[in-house]
């Protein structure tokens, strides 16, 4: 489906990045999201968020805030490896 195509495209782009990165589950303002982390001198820090909405067990909408850094700066983020 469309969600799988988007995810494959996006992960392909991330795979080409030269800097270390990873993806974890977390919450932004209480809502579950995917958070990309980048590794810096002080460890792993949140870099961007992706909101995935589902309906009837299928991906209904994906909103990628990678190019909107102000969204993450203004949000209350909670990163969890077991969210």
């Amino acid at each position: 489906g469309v969600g799988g195509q988007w995810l494959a495209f996006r992960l392909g782009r991330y795979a080409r990045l030269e800097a270390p990165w990873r993806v974890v589950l977390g919450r932004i303002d209480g809502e579950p999201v995917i958070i990309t982390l980048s590794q810096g001198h002080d460890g792993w820090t949140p870099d961007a968020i992706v909101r995935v909405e589902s309906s009837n067990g299928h991906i209904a909408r994906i909103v990628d805030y990678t190019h909107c850094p102000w969204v993450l700066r203004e949000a209350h983020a909670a990163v969890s490896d077991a969210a």
Side-chain angles (χ1 to χ4, degrees), residues 50-68:
V50 178
R51 178 174 287 133
V52 179
E53 297 174 12
S54 64
S55 176
N56 298 321
H58 298 283
I59 295 174
R61 182 176 176 197
I62 299 170
V63 182
D64 184 348
Y65 295 98
T66 300
H67 299 291
C68 307

Side-chain angles (χ1 to χ4, degrees), residues 2-62:
V2 173
Q5 292 170 354
W6 178 91
L7 186 59
F9 169 76
R10 180 53 87 194
L11 290 179
R13 291 188 67 188
Y14 284 125
R16 290 188 293 278
L17 293 175
E18 294 185 19
W21 65 276
R22 67 181 185 156
V23 176
V24 297
L25 297 176
R27 293 190 171 276
I28 296 291
D29 297 332
E31 294 185 38
V33 295
I34 298 168
I35 302 175
T36 60
L37 305 173
S38 58
Q39 188 177 33
H41 297 292
D42 297 329
W44 294 97
T45 58
D47 187 51
I49 60 173
V50 178
R51 178 174 287 133
V52 179
E53 297 174 12
S54 64
S55 176
N56 298 321
H58 298 283
I59 295 174
R61 182 176 176 197
I62 299 170

